[in-house]
Amino acid sequence: MADSTIKKATFAGGCFWCMEPEFANLPGVSKVVSGYTGGTVPNPTYEQVSSGATGHVEAIEVTYDSAKVSFGELLNIFWENVDPLDEYGQFCDKGSQYRAGIFYHDAEQKKLAEASKEKVRAMFEQPIATVIKPASEFYPAEDYHQEYYIKNKTRYKMYRTGCGRDDTLKKLWSGKGKAAE
């Protein structure tokens, strides 16, 4: 019998390289996989998804123990690592394949995601562009994308800094409260 406290959460926040480390070392998280979700092409490649023609977004699938870390805590980490106002992508990555989203796996996740989005909406004067959709087939990205922040530390840091991700996040979320819990 499967452990009922082991769950999955799926988030899209622009480049999956930049979302992976935010969850990977969190107590209760056992696995973070970069990949693609939400599109129409089975087993898409990075090149296909990057073209923007498949309908997929770059995403991460987080496997976690809900007895050790709540979905609400994962939602807080998600929101603090995205620009919820950008409907055209995230940071320097633009296009539908880089839009922010929460892909829920059950009714409880949907409820918590929607409640957190309402809290975020109250923090900003602009509309929230982050989508909330049911989880669909998740396709792991190619091996060279997995744990990119570990395998290619220098290139990862250059990309993240060059993209302005950290500076933008600091400005966006400074003085804001938590979106969940």
Side-chain angles (χ1 to χ4, degrees), residues 56-118:
H56 292 88
V57 291
E58 285 194 13
I60 57 167
E61 185 177 73
V62 179
T63 303
Y64 67 102
D65 184 339
S66 63
K68 296 179 181 175
V69 62
S70 71
F71 186 66
E73 290 172 274
L74 298 179
L75 285 169
N76 282 330
I77 292 168
F78 165 77
W79 287 114
E80 292 168 358
N81 284 283
V82 299
D83 177 350
L85 310 174
D86 193 341
E87 64 183 301
Y88 301 108
Q90 291 289 291
F91 314 101
C92 66
D93 294 314
K94 300 300 177 191
S96 60
Q97 68 274 33
Y98 296 112
R99 286 195 60 197
I102 301 166
F103 298 86
Y104 59 86
H105 290 262
D106 58 33
E108 181 67 12
Q109 283 188 356
K110 179 182 181 183
K111 178 181 146 190
L112 292 169
E114 288 174 346
S116 71
K117 185 174 179 178
E118 285 304 314

Short mmCIF file of all heavy atoms in Angstrom, two decimals, residues 56-118:
data_model
loop_
_atom_site.label_atom_id
_atom_site.label_comp_id
_atom_site.label_asym_id
_atom_site.label_seq_id
_atom_site.Cartn_x
_atom_site.Cartn_y
_atom_site.Cartn_z
N HIS A 56 2.73 23.59 -23.97
CA HIS A 56 3.33 23.24 -22.68
C HIS A 56 3.96 24.46 -22.02
O HIS A 56 4.27 25.44 -22.68
CB HIS A 56 4.44 22.20 -22.87
CG HIS A 56 3.95 20.87 -23.30
ND1 HIS A 56 3.79 20.53 -24.63
CD2 HIS A 56 3.58 19.78 -22.59
CE1 HIS A 56 3.34 19.28 -24.72
NE2 HIS A 56 3.21 18.81 -23.48
N VAL A 57 4.14 24.36 -20.71
CA VAL A 57 4.96 25.30 -19.96
C VAL A 57 6.11 24.53 -19.35
O VAL A 57 5.99 23.33 -19.08
CB VAL A 57 4.16 26.02 -18.83
CG1 VAL A 57 3.13 26.96 -19.40
CG2 VAL A 57 3.55 25.04 -17.85
N GLU A 58 7.23 25.23 -19.14
CA GLU A 58 8.30 24.64 -18.36
C GLU A 58 7.79 24.60 -16.93
O GLU A 58 7.26 25.60 -16.43
CB GLU A 58 9.57 25.48 -18.44
CG GLU A 58 10.29 25.34 -19.75
CD GLU A 58 11.72 25.88 -19.71
OE1 GLU A 58 12.25 26.15 -18.60
OE2 GLU A 58 12.29 26.04 -20.79
N ALA A 59 7.94 23.46 -16.27
CA ALA A 59 7.38 23.28 -14.94
C ALA A 59 8.28 22.38 -14.10
O ALA A 59 9.22 21.77 -14.62
CB ALA A 59 5.98 22.67 -15.04
N ILE A 60 7.96 22.30 -12.83
CA ILE A 60 8.61 21.34 -11.95
C ILE A 60 7.54 20.49 -11.29
O ILE A 60 6.44 20.96 -11.01
CB ILE A 60 9.50 22.00 -10.87
CG1 ILE A 60 8.69 22.98 -10.02
CG2 ILE A 60 10.72 22.66 -11.50
CD1 ILE A 60 9.40 23.45 -8.76
N GLU A 61 7.88 19.24 -11.06
CA GLU A 61 7.01 18.33 -10.32
C GLU A 61 7.73 18.01 -9.01
O GLU A 61 8.85 17.50 -9.02
CB GLU A 61 6.75 17.06 -11.11
CG GLU A 61 5.75 16.14 -10.43
CD GLU A 61 5.47 14.91 -11.27
OE1 GLU A 61 6.38 14.04 -11.35
OE2 GLU A 61 4.38 14.83 -11.86
N VAL A 62 7.08 18.37 -7.91
CA VAL A 62 7.65 18.21 -6.58
C VAL A 62 6.98 17.02 -5.90
O VAL A 62 5.75 16.98 -5.80
CB VAL A 62 7.41 19.49 -5.74
CG1 VAL A 62 7.97 19.33 -4.33
CG2 VAL A 62 8.00 20.72 -6.43
N THR A 63 7.77 16.06 -5.45
CA THR A 63 7.26 14.95 -4.65
C THR A 63 7.59 15.28 -3.19
O THR A 63 8.74 15.56 -2.86
CB THR A 63 7.91 13.63 -5.06
OG1 THR A 63 7.68 13.41 -6.47
CG2 THR A 63 7.34 12.45 -4.27
N TYR A 64 6.53 15.28 -2.36
CA TYR A 64 6.73 15.71 -0.97
C TYR A 64 5.91 14.87 -0.02
O TYR A 64 4.93 14.23 -0.40
CB TYR A 64 6.38 17.19 -0.82
CG TYR A 64 4.91 17.53 -1.00
CD1 TYR A 64 4.09 17.76 0.11
CD2 TYR A 64 4.34 17.62 -2.25
CE1 TYR A 64 2.75 18.07 -0.04
CE2 TYR A 64 3.00 17.93 -2.42
CZ TYR A 64 2.21 18.15 -1.31
OH TYR A 64 0.86 18.44 -1.47
N ASP A 65 6.34 14.88 1.24
CA ASP A 65 5.63 14.19 2.31
C ASP A 65 4.79 15.23 3.04
O ASP A 65 5.33 16.11 3.72
CB ASP A 65 6.64 13.55 3.25
CG ASP A 65 5.99 12.73 4.35
OD1 ASP A 65 4.79 12.96 4.66
OD2 ASP A 65 6.69 11.88 4.94
N SER A 66 3.48 15.14 2.88
CA SER A 66 2.59 16.14 3.46
C SER A 66 2.57 16.12 4.99
O SER A 66 2.08 17.05 5.62
CB SER A 66 1.17 15.97 2.91
OG SER A 66 0.65 14.70 3.28
N ALA A 67 3.16 15.08 5.60
CA ALA A 67 3.28 15.06 7.05
C ALA A 67 4.46 15.92 7.51
O ALA A 67 4.56 16.26 8.69
CB ALA A 67 3.46 13.62 7.54
N LYS A 68 5.35 16.27 6.57
CA LYS A 68 6.54 17.05 6.91
C LYS A 68 6.51 18.46 6.34
O LYS A 68 7.14 19.36 6.89
CB LYS A 68 7.79 16.32 6.42
CG LYS A 68 8.02 15.00 7.10
CD LYS A 68 9.24 14.31 6.57
CE LYS A 68 9.44 12.96 7.27
NZ LYS A 68 10.55 12.22 6.69
N VAL A 69 5.86 18.65 5.22
CA VAL A 69 5.75 19.97 4.59
C VAL A 69 4.36 20.06 3.96
O VAL A 69 3.92 19.14 3.29
CB VAL A 69 6.88 20.23 3.56
CG1 VAL A 69 6.84 19.23 2.41
CG2 VAL A 69 6.84 21.64 3.04
N SER A 70 3.68 21.15 4.23
CA SER A 70 2.31 21.29 3.72
C SER A 70 2.30 21.87 2.31
O SER A 70 3.25 22.52 1.88
CB SER A 70 1.50 22.19 4.65
OG SER A 70 1.93 23.53 4.52
N PHE A 71 1.21 21.65 1.62
CA PHE A 71 1.03 22.25 0.30
C PHE A 71 1.02 23.77 0.45
O PHE A 71 1.54 24.48 -0.42
CB PHE A 71 -0.27 21.74 -0.35
CG PHE A 71 -0.43 22.21 -1.77
CD1 PHE A 71 0.43 21.79 -2.77
CD2 PHE A 71 -1.46 23.09 -2.10
CE1 PHE A 71 0.28 22.23 -4.08
CE2 PHE A 71 -1.62 23.53 -3.40
CZ PHE A 71 -0.75 23.10 -4.40
N GLY A 72 0.49 24.27 1.54
CA GLY A 72 0.51 25.71 1.79
C GLY A 72 1.93 26.27 1.85
O GLY A 72 2.21 27.34 1.32
N GLU A 73 2.83 25.53 2.49
CA GLU A 73 4.23 25.96 2.53
C GLU A 73 4.84 25.96 1.13
O GLU A 73 5.60 26.86 0.77
CB GLU A 73 5.05 25.05 3.46
CG GLU A 73 4.70 25.22 4.93
CD GLU A 73 5.38 24.17 5.79
OE1 GLU A 73 4.82 23.07 5.94
OE2 GLU A 73 6.47 24.48 6.31
N LEU A 74 4.50 24.95 0.33
CA LEU A 74 4.98 24.90 -1.05
C LEU A 74 4.42 26.07 -1.85
O LEU A 74 5.14 26.67 -2.67
CB LEU A 74 4.60 23.57 -1.71
CG LEU A 74 5.17 22.30 -1.08
CD1 LEU A 74 4.69 21.07 -1.83
CD2 LEU A 74 6.69 22.34 -1.01
N LEU A 75 3.17 26.40 -1.62
CA LEU A 75 2.57 27.56 -2.31
C LEU A 75 3.31 28.85 -1.95
O LEU A 75 3.56 29.69 -2.83
CB LEU A 75 1.09 27.70 -1.95
CG LEU A 75 0.15 26.72 -2.61
CD1 LEU A 75 -1.23 26.78 -1.97
CD2 LEU A 75 0.05 26.96 -4.12
N ASN A 76 3.66 29.03 -0.69
CA ASN A 76 4.41 30.23 -0.29
C ASN A 76 5.73 30.32 -1.05
O ASN A 76 6.10 31.39 -1.54
CB ASN A 76 4.66 30.26 1.21
CG ASN A 76 3.45 30.68 1.99
OD1 ASN A 76 2.62 31.45 1.52
ND2 ASN A 76 3.32 30.17 3.20
N ILE A 77 6.44 29.22 -1.15
CA ILE A 77 7.71 29.20 -1.88
C ILE A 77 7.46 29.52 -3.35
O ILE A 77 8.19 30.30 -3.96
CB ILE A 77 8.43 27.86 -1.68
CG1 ILE A 77 8.88 27.74 -0.23
CG2 ILE A 77 9.61 27.73 -2.64
CD1 ILE A 77 9.33 26.36 0.16
N PHE A 78 6.43 28.91 -3.92
CA PHE A 78 6.09 29.18 -5.31
C PHE A 78 5.88 30.68 -5.54
O PHE A 78 6.53 31.29 -6.39
CB PHE A 78 4.83 28.41 -5.73
CG PHE A 78 4.24 28.91 -7.01
CD1 PHE A 78 4.81 28.58 -8.23
CD2 PHE A 78 3.13 29.75 -7.00
CE1 PHE A 78 4.29 29.08 -9.42
CE2 PHE A 78 2.61 30.25 -8.18
CZ PHE A 78 3.19 29.92 -9.39
N TRP A 79 4.95 31.28 -4.78
CA TRP A 79 4.61 32.69 -5.00
C TRP A 79 5.82 33.59 -4.83
O TRP A 79 5.99 34.56 -5.60
CB TRP A 79 3.49 33.13 -4.05
CG TRP A 79 2.15 32.58 -4.41
CD1 TRP A 79 1.41 31.69 -3.67
CD2 TRP A 79 1.36 32.89 -5.56
NE1 TRP A 79 0.22 31.42 -4.31
CE2 TRP A 79 0.16 32.14 -5.48
CE3 TRP A 79 1.54 33.71 -6.68
CZ2 TRP A 79 -0.84 32.20 -6.44
CZ3 TRP A 79 0.56 33.77 -7.64
CH2 TRP A 79 -0.62 33.02 -7.52
N GLU A 80 6.67 33.31 -3.85
CA GLU A 80 7.84 34.15 -3.59
C GLU A 80 8.90 34.03 -4.68
O GLU A 80 9.87 34.77 -4.70
CB GLU A 80 8.46 33.80 -2.24
CG GLU A 80 7.56 34.19 -1.08
CD GLU A 80 8.00 33.61 0.26
OE1 GLU A 80 9.01 32.85 0.29
OE2 GLU A 80 7.34 33.91 1.26
N ASN A 81 8.71 33.10 -5.62
CA ASN A 81 9.68 32.87 -6.68
C ASN A 81 9.13 33.13 -8.08
O ASN A 81 9.76 32.72 -9.06
CB ASN A 81 10.24 31.45 -6.56
CG ASN A 81 11.23 31.39 -5.44
OD1 ASN A 81 12.37 31.84 -5.58
ND2 ASN A 81 10.80 30.89 -4.29
N VAL A 82 7.99 33.79 -8.15
CA VAL A 82 7.43 34.16 -9.45
C VAL A 82 7.01 35.63 -9.44
O VAL A 82 6.82 36.23 -8.38
CB VAL A 82 6.22 33.29 -9.86
CG1 VAL A 82 6.60 31.83 -9.98
CG2 VAL A 82 5.04 33.48 -8.92
N ASP A 83 6.85 36.18 -10.63
CA ASP A 83 6.24 37.48 -10.80
C ASP A 83 4.79 37.21 -11.17
O ASP A 83 4.49 36.87 -12.32
CB ASP A 83 6.95 38.27 -11.90
CG ASP A 83 6.30 39.61 -12.16
OD1 ASP A 83 5.19 39.87 -11.65
OD2 ASP A 83 6.89 40.41 -12.92
N PRO A 84 3.86 37.32 -10.23
CA PRO A 84 2.47 36.94 -10.49
C PRO A 84 1.74 37.92 -11.42
O PRO A 84 0.62 37.64 -11.83
CB PRO A 84 1.84 36.95 -9.10
CG PRO A 84 2.64 37.95 -8.34
CD PRO A 84 4.04 37.81 -8.86
N LEU A 85 2.38 39.02 -11.75
CA LEU A 85 1.74 40.05 -12.56
C LEU A 85 2.05 39.92 -14.05
O LEU A 85 1.37 40.53 -14.87
CB LEU A 85 2.20 41.44 -12.08
CG LEU A 85 2.07 41.68 -10.58
CD1 LEU A 85 2.68 43.02 -10.21
CD2 LEU A 85 0.64 41.57 -10.12
N ASP A 86 3.04 39.14 -14.40
CA ASP A 86 3.51 39.05 -15.79
C ASP A 86 2.75 37.98 -16.56
O ASP A 86 2.95 36.79 -16.34
CB ASP A 86 5.01 38.78 -15.83
CG ASP A 86 5.60 38.98 -17.21
OD1 ASP A 86 4.86 38.98 -18.21
OD2 ASP A 86 6.84 39.14 -17.29
N GLU A 87 1.91 38.39 -17.47
CA GLU A 87 1.13 37.43 -18.26
C GLU A 87 1.90 36.92 -19.48
O GLU A 87 1.42 36.03 -20.19
CB GLU A 87 -0.20 38.04 -18.69
CG GLU A 87 -0.08 39.24 -19.60
CD GLU A 87 -1.41 39.86 -19.94
OE1 GLU A 87 -2.27 39.16 -20.50
OE2 GLU A 87 -1.58 41.05 -19.62
N TYR A 88 3.08 37.47 -19.74
CA TYR A 88 3.83 37.12 -20.95
C TYR A 88 5.04 36.23 -20.68
O TYR A 88 5.85 36.01 -21.57
CB TYR A 88 4.27 38.39 -21.68
CG TYR A 88 3.09 39.24 -22.07
CD1 TYR A 88 2.83 40.43 -21.41
CD2 TYR A 88 2.21 38.82 -23.06
CE1 TYR A 88 1.73 41.20 -21.74
CE2 TYR A 88 1.10 39.59 -23.39
CZ TYR A 88 0.87 40.78 -22.74
OH TYR A 88 -0.22 41.53 -23.06
N GLY A 89 5.21 35.75 -19.47
CA GLY A 89 6.35 34.91 -19.13
C GLY A 89 6.88 35.28 -17.77
O GLY A 89 6.15 35.82 -16.92
N GLN A 90 8.15 35.01 -17.54
CA GLN A 90 8.77 35.31 -16.26
C GLN A 90 10.16 35.87 -16.50
O GLN A 90 11.00 35.24 -17.15
CB GLN A 90 8.87 34.05 -15.40
CG GLN A 90 7.54 33.54 -14.90
CD GLN A 90 6.94 34.44 -13.84
OE1 GLN A 90 7.43 34.55 -12.73
NE2 GLN A 90 5.85 35.11 -14.19
N PHE A 91 10.37 37.09 -15.99
CA PHE A 91 11.67 37.74 -16.01
C PHE A 91 12.13 37.91 -17.46
O PHE A 91 11.37 38.45 -18.25
CB PHE A 91 12.64 37.00 -15.08
CG PHE A 91 11.99 36.68 -13.76
CD1 PHE A 91 11.49 35.42 -13.47
CD2 PHE A 91 11.79 37.69 -12.82
CE1 PHE A 91 10.83 35.15 -12.27
CE2 PHE A 91 11.13 37.43 -11.61
CZ PHE A 91 10.65 36.16 -11.35
N CYS A 92 13.31 37.41 -17.84
CA CYS A 92 13.76 37.61 -19.22
C CYS A 92 13.19 36.56 -20.18
O CYS A 92 13.37 36.68 -21.39
CB CYS A 92 15.29 37.64 -19.29
SG CYS A 92 16.09 36.08 -18.87
N ASP A 93 12.52 35.56 -19.66
CA ASP A 93 11.94 34.52 -20.51
C ASP A 93 10.50 34.88 -20.84
O ASP A 93 9.64 34.92 -19.95
CB ASP A 93 11.99 33.16 -19.81
CG ASP A 93 13.41 32.68 -19.61
OD1 ASP A 93 14.20 32.76 -20.58
OD2 ASP A 93 13.75 32.23 -18.51
N LYS A 94 10.24 35.13 -22.09
CA LYS A 94 8.90 35.54 -22.52
C LYS A 94 8.31 34.50 -23.46
O LYS A 94 9.02 33.83 -24.20
CB LYS A 94 8.94 36.91 -23.21
CG LYS A 94 9.47 38.02 -22.30
CD LYS A 94 8.62 38.18 -21.06
CE LYS A 94 9.18 39.24 -20.11
NZ LYS A 94 8.53 39.21 -18.83
N GLY A 95 7.02 34.37 -23.40
CA GLY A 95 6.30 33.41 -24.22
C GLY A 95 5.40 32.55 -23.34
O GLY A 95 5.61 32.45 -22.13
N SER A 96 4.40 31.95 -23.96
CA SER A 96 3.43 31.16 -23.20
C SER A 96 4.08 29.99 -22.46
O SER A 96 3.57 29.56 -21.43
CB SER A 96 2.33 30.64 -24.13
OG SER A 96 2.90 29.83 -25.15
N GLN A 97 5.20 29.50 -22.95
CA GLN A 97 5.88 28.36 -22.31
C GLN A 97 6.56 28.75 -21.00
O GLN A 97 7.03 27.89 -20.27
CB GLN A 97 6.88 27.71 -23.28
CG GLN A 97 8.08 28.56 -23.64
CD GLN A 97 7.85 29.51 -24.81
OE1 GLN A 97 6.77 30.01 -25.03
NE2 GLN A 97 8.91 29.76 -25.57
N TYR A 98 6.59 30.05 -20.69
CA TYR A 98 7.22 30.53 -19.45
C TYR A 98 6.23 31.16 -18.49
O TYR A 98 6.63 31.78 -17.51
CB TYR A 98 8.35 31.52 -19.78
CG TYR A 98 9.46 30.89 -20.56
CD1 TYR A 98 9.70 31.24 -21.88
CD2 TYR A 98 10.29 29.92 -19.99
CE1 TYR A 98 10.72 30.65 -22.61
CE2 TYR A 98 11.31 29.33 -20.71
CZ TYR A 98 11.52 29.71 -22.02
OH TYR A 98 12.52 29.12 -22.73
N ARG A 99 4.94 31.03 -18.75
CA ARG A 99 3.94 31.62 -17.85
C ARG A 99 3.94 30.90 -16.51
O ARG A 99 4.21 29.71 -16.42
CB ARG A 99 2.55 31.51 -18.46
CG ARG A 99 2.36 32.50 -19.60
CD ARG A 99 0.94 32.68 -19.98
NE ARG A 99 0.17 33.18 -18.85
CZ ARG A 99 -1.14 33.12 -18.80
NH1 ARG A 99 -1.83 32.60 -19.78
NH2 ARG A 99 -1.79 33.58 -17.76
N ALA A 100 3.58 31.63 -15.47
CA ALA A 100 3.51 31.06 -14.13
C ALA A 100 2.17 30.34 -13.94
O ALA A 100 1.13 30.83 -14.39
CB ALA A 100 3.66 32.16 -13.07
N GLY A 101 2.22 29.20 -13.27
CA GLY A 101 0.99 28.47 -13.01
C GLY A 101 1.12 27.46 -11.90
O GLY A 101 2.21 26.99 -11.57
N ILE A 102 -0.03 27.15 -11.32
CA ILE A 102 -0.15 26.10 -10.31
C ILE A 102 -1.06 25.05 -10.92
O ILE A 102 -2.17 25.36 -11.37
CB ILE A 102 -0.78 26.65 -9.01
CG1 ILE A 102 0.07 27.79 -8.44
CG2 ILE A 102 -0.97 25.52 -7.98
CD1 ILE A 102 -0.63 28.60 -7.36
N PHE A 103 -0.60 23.81 -10.94
CA PHE A 103 -1.35 22.71 -11.54
C PHE A 103 -1.73 21.74 -10.42
O PHE A 103 -0.89 21.00 -9.92
CB PHE A 103 -0.51 22.03 -12.63
CG PHE A 103 -0.17 22.97 -13.74
CD1 PHE A 103 0.94 23.80 -13.66
CD2 PHE A 103 -1.00 23.07 -14.85
CE1 PHE A 103 1.24 24.71 -14.68
CE2 PHE A 103 -0.71 23.97 -15.87
CZ PHE A 103 0.40 24.79 -15.78
N TYR A 104 -2.99 21.81 -10.01
CA TYR A 104 -3.42 21.07 -8.82
C TYR A 104 -3.72 19.61 -9.13
O TYR A 104 -4.17 19.26 -10.23
CB TYR A 104 -4.62 21.75 -8.16
CG TYR A 104 -5.84 21.90 -9.05
CD1 TYR A 104 -6.78 20.88 -9.17
CD2 TYR A 104 -6.06 23.08 -9.77
CE1 TYR A 104 -7.89 21.01 -9.97
CE2 TYR A 104 -7.17 23.22 -10.57
CZ TYR A 104 -8.08 22.18 -10.68
OH TYR A 104 -9.18 22.31 -11.49
N HIS A 105 -3.46 18.75 -8.13
CA HIS A 105 -3.63 17.30 -8.27
C HIS A 105 -4.90 16.78 -7.59
O HIS A 105 -5.25 15.62 -7.78
CB HIS A 105 -2.40 16.57 -7.71
CG HIS A 105 -1.19 16.77 -8.57
ND1 HIS A 105 -0.78 15.85 -9.50
CD2 HIS A 105 -0.31 17.80 -8.66
CE1 HIS A 105 0.30 16.29 -10.12
NE2 HIS A 105 0.60 17.48 -9.62
N ASP A 106 -5.54 17.61 -6.77
CA ASP A 106 -6.77 17.18 -6.12
C ASP A 106 -7.56 18.42 -5.68
O ASP A 106 -7.09 19.55 -5.83
CB ASP A 106 -6.49 16.24 -4.93
CG ASP A 106 -5.60 16.85 -3.85
OD1 ASP A 106 -5.67 18.09 -3.63
OD2 ASP A 106 -4.84 16.09 -3.23
N ALA A 107 -8.75 18.18 -5.17
CA ALA A 107 -9.64 19.28 -4.78
C ALA A 107 -9.05 20.15 -3.67
O ALA A 107 -9.23 21.37 -3.67
CB ALA A 107 -11.00 18.73 -4.35
N GLU A 108 -8.33 19.54 -2.74
CA GLU A 108 -7.73 20.30 -1.65
C GLU A 108 -6.64 21.24 -2.18
O GLU A 108 -6.57 22.40 -1.78
CB GLU A 108 -7.15 19.35 -0.59
CG GLU A 108 -6.53 20.05 0.60
CD GLU A 108 -7.52 20.82 1.48
OE1 GLU A 108 -8.74 20.67 1.34
OE2 GLU A 108 -7.02 21.60 2.32
N GLN A 109 -5.80 20.75 -3.08
CA GLN A 109 -4.78 21.62 -3.67
C GLN A 109 -5.44 22.77 -4.44
O GLN A 109 -4.96 23.90 -4.37
CB GLN A 109 -3.85 20.83 -4.60
CG GLN A 109 -2.83 20.00 -3.89
CD GLN A 109 -1.82 19.38 -4.84
OE1 GLN A 109 -1.90 19.49 -6.06
NE2 GLN A 109 -0.83 18.69 -4.27
N LYS A 110 -6.50 22.47 -5.16
CA LYS A 110 -7.20 23.52 -5.91
C LYS A 110 -7.71 24.60 -4.96
O LYS A 110 -7.51 25.80 -5.20
CB LYS A 110 -8.37 22.93 -6.70
CG LYS A 110 -9.15 23.97 -7.48
CD LYS A 110 -10.33 23.35 -8.22
CE LYS A 110 -11.08 24.43 -9.00
NZ LYS A 110 -12.27 23.90 -9.67
N LYS A 111 -8.35 24.17 -3.89
CA LYS A 111 -8.90 25.10 -2.90
C LYS A 111 -7.80 25.98 -2.30
O LYS A 111 -7.94 27.20 -2.20
CB LYS A 111 -9.62 24.30 -1.81
CG LYS A 111 -10.21 25.13 -0.69
CD LYS A 111 -10.88 24.20 0.32
CE LYS A 111 -10.72 24.77 1.70
NZ LYS A 111 -11.11 23.87 2.75
N LEU A 112 -6.71 25.36 -1.89
CA LEU A 112 -5.60 26.10 -1.29
C LEU A 112 -4.93 27.03 -2.30
O LEU A 112 -4.57 28.16 -1.97
CB LEU A 112 -4.57 25.13 -0.69
CG LEU A 112 -5.05 24.34 0.52
CD1 LEU A 112 -4.06 23.23 0.88
CD2 LEU A 112 -5.27 25.26 1.71
N ALA A 113 -4.77 26.58 -3.53
CA ALA A 113 -4.16 27.41 -4.58
C ALA A 113 -5.03 28.64 -4.86
O ALA A 113 -4.52 29.76 -4.95
CB ALA A 113 -3.97 26.59 -5.86
N GLU A 114 -6.34 28.43 -4.96
CA GLU A 114 -7.24 29.56 -5.23
C GLU A 114 -7.25 30.54 -4.06
O GLU A 114 -7.25 31.76 -4.26
CB GLU A 114 -8.64 29.05 -5.55
CG GLU A 114 -8.70 28.39 -6.92
CD GLU A 114 -10.03 27.73 -7.23
OE1 GLU A 114 -10.86 27.53 -6.31
OE2 GLU A 114 -10.25 27.41 -8.41
N ALA A 115 -7.23 30.03 -2.84
CA ALA A 115 -7.20 30.91 -1.66
C ALA A 115 -5.90 31.71 -1.61
O ALA A 115 -5.90 32.90 -1.31
CB ALA A 115 -7.38 30.09 -0.38
N SER A 116 -4.79 31.07 -1.96
CA SER A 116 -3.51 31.77 -1.95
C SER A 116 -3.48 32.84 -3.05
O SER A 116 -2.95 33.92 -2.84
CB SER A 116 -2.34 30.80 -2.09
OG SER A 116 -2.26 30.24 -3.39
N LYS A 117 -4.08 32.54 -4.19
CA LYS A 117 -4.12 33.53 -5.28
C LYS A 117 -4.94 34.75 -4.85
O LYS A 117 -4.59 35.89 -5.17
CB LYS A 117 -4.70 32.91 -6.55
CG LYS A 117 -4.66 33.83 -7.75
CD LYS A 117 -5.12 33.13 -9.02
CE LYS A 117 -5.11 34.06 -10.22
NZ LYS A 117 -5.51 33.36 -11.45
N GLU A 118 -6.00 34.53 -4.10
CA GLU A 118 -6.81 35.66 -3.59
C GLU A 118 -5.98 36.52 -2.64
O GLU A 118 -6.08 37.75 -2.66
CB GLU A 118 -8.08 35.16 -2.91
CG GLU A 118 -9.14 34.69 -3.89
CD GLU A 118 -9.53 35.77 -4.90
OE1 GLU A 118 -9.76 36.93 -4.50
OE2 GLU A 118 -9.59 35.45 -6.09
#
